[in-house]
Amino acid sequence: MSGFKVTISGTVQGVGFRPFVYRTAKRNNIGGYIKNSGNSVELSINGDKKNIDKFLYELKNNKPPLSRINSIDIKPCNEQYSDFRIVKSEKQGASDSVIPPDVAICDTCLGEIFNRENLRYLYPFTVCTDCGPRFTIIQSLPYDRENTTMSAFKMCEECGREYLDPDDRRFRAEPVCCPDCGPVYELYKGQENTRSDNPIRDAAAALDNGNIVAVKGIGGTHLCTSTTDANAILQMRKLLGRPSKPFAIMARDMSVARKLVYVTERDERLMLSRERPIVILPKKSELSGNISPGLDTIGIMLPYTGMHHLLFHYSKEPAFVMTSANLPGEPMALYNKDILSLGAGFSLLHNRDIKNRCDDSVIRAGRNCTFVRRSRGFVPSPVEVAETGATVLSLGAELDVTACLLKNNRAFLTQFIGNTTKPGTLAYLESAVTNLMELTGTDGVDAIAVDMHPSFNTSVLGQELSEKFSVPLIKCQHHFAHAASLSVESGIDRMVCITADGVGYGNDGTIWGGEIIAVDDGFERAGNLKPQLIPGGDLAARYPARVVAGILSGKYNSDELSGILEPYFGQDELRILLRQVETGFNSPFTSSTGRVLDAVSALLGVCTERTYEGEPAMKLEAFAKKGKVCVDIPVLVNTENRRYVLDTTAIVDAVYMAKEHGLPLHDIAASAQDAVAVGLCGMAIKAATDRGIDIIGFSGGVAYNDAIVTKVRDIATLAGFEFIIHKKVPCGDGGISIGQAIMAVRGI
């Protein structure tokens, strides 16, 4: 008889791994035990060598669908057992495993909800080991019921029987419960509890009647309303202070989704996956224009909890508007008292605490499919990277923030945090970081990494944490970090990366945003868009006609500029603006690609005021899809200070002249975007050729513009270069923290 101690790390808790091991051991006549130990599992096994070999083979190759094995450590031991048992968990253990993400309800549990003979008929919290919440309910390790927010609910006799039966699919399913012992929903009208005997049914009726309903789910709260009631949608916009920002929708099922959006087979697989992200797809005309005004796409998802399915069961609506329940810039509401203060007509609330807030993930579909937001369904699963031998905590930039805890070859990104200029969101970042370190068993780090912008709240927090842990603070240039994030997720060390976005603090003290970064044993700024005057600074980001003034000031005198800008400003404001242009007061220079696209959007009358991040450029992209690339827009690349520089004044001036000549506006928009893409790719190809590099990448917020990325891809591949884009983390600032972490490793 051979005996071994086996330690397995990975995603092995909360996924049915112990009952799987138990059944596999029984089938192969293996004696011993298994237990959770910290955030790994520990086995002691004995048996014939042939049986042990077969047992270990099945362990690796037939594991539960939600599990993931990172490593198996096997050591000989002399312990002998006649039977196999599952024993009580221990807190100690390895620190390189992780709790799995929340996943959508499985078909078996869903079938039980709608089976009149089942114990859990119409019960919204029905789950098993293959589905439901994990990350959002765990309070501490190991992942046992007493360490989750389900500890407040004592199991009834029947649930307890399932929970303790290794042959039952609910064995050690920590959220297991039923109507007799689990959480319950209540429906409030305003601040008053309706005492409804069927809160979900009555919430569905409220939605059918055009009301706004706040719905508390697994990892946060949605504000919901009908997709067919224009007044209800406008009322929700007023309530949230979001006049134009696109809302996501939840369709009843895939057949309804096909009527609302254009869907490929790959899109369907994504929508039906257990992660159930919001998928951004081209919309059809059946949808109200108030849901995503000015855009040709919409974010759509399918139900992923029992409660969602029950809402549709009782409702007549084909789909609901479902958007995160938060005021602009603030984190999503978690606590019942906060949800009731949102101002919704009705609130559907439950009595289980949410430990870890987790917004919906968002993926932009299409040829250049990539994350917009990596959160529910994916967090806290790590991104695998090359061995680093270091532990680094990085805190992202300012907007769309995620933090990253890099532990050797695994990068653990937090859930989506958001806009850290707001105190509540900054506090959320701190708590998310603390929680992530606890769940990964991390007591200390080797360095803290932040954006080099001195005014970011994340930079200030990073300074505090570096002092707390007595480790170096590494300040990372924003666009170098974008390039580093693409480099580390792809495993490619040498490339030229186009990093195009709205704004980032340059290492020369100016504002960057249209950069060609050579990645080759370091980072080099090999090219950029022509720096342009931005009169009013942040005010120009809100009113992009100001950017037009700055860009065209290099071509036209004050009187000529006045004539160009009269349609956009009153006389007094125009006079002040022209004075700013003349004196340069509060008018920094920037190489931002986003500001150039904003200027084109304003010139063509597509969007003259930004009410949410990226709005002018996003609406320009949708507008341009109605046109064709047929307007002559010059692409002039010069060499300055041994860098390639794209002349964006020539592009914006050509847009203005084409408009003055009465050319179709949609064609001008398409041609302008195309010119920007040609210019960026042209500089990247020149920089790559100079250095003998054969890979071109694209990162930054502009990488969400499908037309620009597709053009760059086509030019680069035709020229013989490999082209890469993000697949594992967002292109925008939501993925920058992993790049900061890698830069810190190199800087320690």
Side-chain angles (χ1 to χ4, degrees):
M1 295 279 284
S2 301
F4 298 94
K5 272 281 175 63
V6 183
T7 301
I8 304 175
S9 68
T11 306
V12 290
Q13 293 190 26
V15 291
F17 196 79
R18 285 180 296 171
F20 157 71
V21 171
Y22 173 88
R23 290 189 291 268
T24 305
K26 287 286 193 180
R27 189 167 55 249
N28 288 284
N29 297 315
I30 300 296
Y33 66 80
I34 181 173
K35 63 182 176 182
N36 283 340
S37 181
N39 48 11
S40 61
V41 293
E42 179 185 305
L43 291 75
S44 183
I45 58 174
N46 61 261
D48 294 338
K49 185 179 185 305
K50 181 179 179 181
N51 289 345
I52 287 180
D53 288 345
K54 188 169 183 285
F55 168 76
L56 292 173
Y57 175 84
E58 291 183 11
L59 222 61
K60 298 173 185 176
N61 294 282
N62 300 330
K63 60 186 183 296
L66 298 183
S67 68
R68 180 176 181 175
I69 295 175
N70 291 333
S71 65
I72 301 179
D73 181 58
I74 304 175
K75 296 178 180 178
C77 74
N78 296 321
E79 297 176 8
Q80 297 293 315
Y81 302 90
S82 59
D83 198 6
F84 196 88
R85 299 175 297 125
I86 298 172
V87 300
K88 186 175 176 61
S89 302
E90 292 182 354
K91 287 187 176 294
Q92 293 76 26
S95 60
D96 52 359
S97 296
V98 71
I99 298 304
D102 294 5
V103 292
I105 187 171
C106 68
D107 290 341
T108 305
C109 285
L110 191 58
E112 290 179 340
I113 289 177
F114 293 107
N115 179 359
R116 290 180 179 273
E117 306 303 318
N118 194 274
L119 169 69
R120 296 179 175 86
Y121 177 58
L122 300 182
Y123 185 58
F125 296 94
T126 301
V127 295
C128 68
T129 53
D130 292 333
C131 66
R134 303 290 194 279
F135 173 65
T136 53
I137 63 172
I138 186 169
Q139 295 172 313
S140 62
L141 291 172
Y143 179 66
D144 289 325
R145 190 180 181 97
E146 61 265 28
N147 297 326
T148 74
T149 58
M150 285 300 297
S151 61
F153 303 93
K154 184 179 179 181
M155 281 183 283
C156 66
E157 184 176 345
E158 177 58 20
C159 287
R161 182 196 64 76
E162 294 172 314
Y163 182 80
L164 294 174
D165 182 358
D167 293 321
D168 194 286
R169 80 177 206 283
R170 290 194 169 92
F171 175 72
R172 292 289 177 179
E174 308 307 343
V176 66
C177 57
C178 73
D180 292 333
C181 63
V184 295
Y185 270 103
E186 294 180 322
L187 182 66
Y188 286 76
K189 183 176 182 181
Q191 300 287 321
E192 184 179 349
N193 191 330
T194 64
R195 309 294 177 187
S196 169
D197 63 344
N198 193 330
I200 297 178
R201 178 199 63 202
D202 292 348
L207 288 166
D208 288 351
N209 290 327
N211 290 285
I212 297 171
V213 181
V215 177
K216 184 179 179 182
I218 290 178
T221 308
H222 288 112
L223 279 180
C224 309
T225 197
S226 165
T227 55
T228 59
D229 189 325
N231 288 331
I233 299 168
L234 291 174
Q235 184 61 32
M236 183 181 285
R237 291 200 170 281
K238 183 178 179 181
L239 180 67
L240 289 171
R242 300 178 194 167
S244 300
K245 189 173 183 179
F247 289 146
I249 64 173
M250 178 178 282
R252 176 183 292 271
D253 52 34
M254 203 64 234
S255 64
V256 169
R258 292 188 199 101
K259 297 176 183 177
L260 302 176
V261 293
Y262 295 96
V263 192
T264 66
E265 288 185 11
R266 186 174 73 167
D267 300 334
E268 283 199 22
R269 288 195 298 272
L270 196 54
M271 290 183 67
L272 290 166
S273 68
R274 61 176 178 247
E275 292 84 6
R276 293 290 164 92
I278 295 171
V279 182
I280 299 176
L281 293 167
K283 64 184 179 183
K284 294 183 177 179
S285 58
E286 286 85 349
L287 280 168
S288 167
N290 294 323
I291 298 176
S292 58
L295 303 180
D296 65 330
T297 57
I298 194 164
I300 186 169
M301 59 181 159
L302 294 175
Y304 56 85
T305 70
M307 178 270 296
H308 294 147
H309 286 280
L310 286 167
L311 273 178
F312 281 113
H313 172 70
Y314 292 116
S315 173
K316 301 173 184 176
E317 289 290 320
F320 298 129
V321 173
M322 271 203 175
T323 191
S324 295
N326 62 286
L327 298 176
E330 297 291 343
M332 182 170 49
L334 279 190
Y335 304 107
N336 289 358
K337 63 180 179 61
D338 295 330
I339 298 169
L340 289 171
S341 69
L342 289 171
F346 292 83
S347 298
L348 183 63
L349 308 179
H350 62 70
N351 59 338
R352 182 174 70 193
D353 289 341
I354 298 171
K355 167 61 177 174
N356 301 305
R357 180 191 284 109
C358 203
D359 284 85
D360 296 314
S361 291
V362 183
I363 295 177
R364 187 175 179 108
R367 183 180 178 187
N368 305 302
C369 183
T370 187
F371 279 103
V372 176
R373 180 195 297 164
R374 182 181 182 272
S375 203
R376 177 187 53 76
F378 298 94
V379 171
S381 295
V383 176
E384 301 291 332
V385 301
E387 298 276 345
T388 65
T391 300
V392 174
L393 175 64
S394 54
L395 300 179
E398 182 176 60
L399 304 178
D400 296 332
V401 165
T402 65
C404 175
L405 179 63
L406 175 66
K407 298 192 69 174
N408 190 22
N409 65 333
R410 281 191 279 276
F412 297 91
L413 277 74
T414 65
Q415 65 271 46
F416 173 78
I417 303 297
N419 178 0
T420 55
T421 64
K422 305 289 186 178
T425 309
L426 184 65
Y428 174 27
L429 172 63
E430 290 188 68
S431 66
V433 165
T434 299
N435 187 60
L436 186 60
M437 292 184 70
E438 290 175 353
L439 291 183
T440 54
T442 306
D443 297 323
V445 296
D446 299 316
I448 303 290
V450 297
D451 194 280
M452 69 185 301
H453 196 297
S455 299
F456 283 177
N457 284 334
T458 50
S459 300
V460 176
L461 175 60
Q463 180 66 50
E464 295 172 359
L465 290 173
S466 74
E467 294 171 1
K468 174 183 176 181
F469 291 110
S470 299
V471 296
L473 178 69
I474 309 296
K475 298 179 180 180
C476 305
Q477 199 285 317
H478 189 88
H479 300 93
F480 291 175
H482 268 305
S485 71
L486 182 57
S487 173
V488 68
E489 78 152 66
S490 63
I492 294 172
D493 294 329
R494 295 186 78 241
M495 68 172 172
V496 169
C497 185
I498 300 168
T499 55
D501 59 8
V503 60
Y505 194 78
N507 57 15
D508 60 358
T510 65
I511 302 170
W512 295 4
E515 313 306 315
I516 308 300
I517 307 299
V519 182
D520 185 8
D521 194 28
F523 304 92
E524 178 189 359
R525 191 188 192 196
N528 55 270
L529 270 57
K530 178 182 178 180
Q532 299 286 4
L533 190 75
I534 305 296
D538 289 343
L539 195 61
R542 180 172 180 181
Y543 298 104
R546 285 178 163 268
V547 183
V548 175
I551 293 176
L552 294 185
S553 66
K555 178 72 181 291
Y556 298 98
N557 63 36
S558 183
D559 289 340
E560 291 169 327
L561 271 181
S562 179
I564 294 170
L565 298 171
E566 275 181 357
Y568 307 100
F569 301 99
Q571 286 187 352
D572 291 343
E573 186 178 5
L574 180 57
R575 185 169 57 253
I576 295 170
L577 172 62
L578 293 174
R579 181 63 177 163
Q580 275 189 303
V581 170
E582 181 182 345
T583 63
F585 176 74
N586 191 27
S587 300
F589 281 85
T590 180
S591 56
S592 167
T593 311
R595 296 296 84 82
V596 172
L597 296 173
D598 290 354
V600 174
S601 185
L603 261 179
L604 298 180
V606 176
C607 182
T608 57
E609 180 181 358
R610 188 196 74 179
T611 64
Y612 61 88
E613 191 70 23
E615 180 180 4
M618 289 169 64
K619 289 184 173 178
L620 177 69
E621 180 185 6
F623 186 80
K625 287 181 182 177
K626 299 175 183 177
K628 54 185 181 294
V629 179
C630 60
V631 177
D632 185 22
I633 307 285
V635 179
L636 306 177
V637 175
N638 304 308
T639 303
E640 299 176 12
N641 299 320
R642 294 189 296 180
R643 289 199 308 268
Y644 298 110
V645 178
L646 175 63
D647 186 351
T648 48
T649 299
I651 292 175
V652 175
D653 182 45
V655 168
Y656 168 66
M657 294 304 298
K659 179 185 176 185
E660 287 296 292
H661 284 93
L663 297 182
L665 299 184
H666 294 101
D667 292 347
I668 300 172
S671 301
Q673 282 189 152
D674 190 76
V676 170
V678 171
L680 287 169
C681 193
M683 290 191 292
I685 287 174
K686 288 175 182 289
T689 302
D690 292 344
R691 293 161 177 79
I693 293 174
D694 57 7
I695 298 174
I696 290 175
F698 205 139
S699 186
V702 177
Y704 293 127
N705 185 306
D706 194 63
I708 290 177
V709 175
T710 296
K711 184 69 174 186
V712 169
R713 179 193 294 275
D714 291 346
I715 295 173
T717 53
L718 186 63
F721 292 87
E722 180 183 348
F723 179 80
I724 62 171
I725 195 170
H726 291 275
K727 297 296 182 185
K728 299 177 182 177
V729 302
C731 297
D733 285 2
I736 205 170
S737 58
I738 190 174
Q740 292 174 335
I742 289 299
M743 290 181 70
V745 169
R746 297 176 181 178
I748 295 174

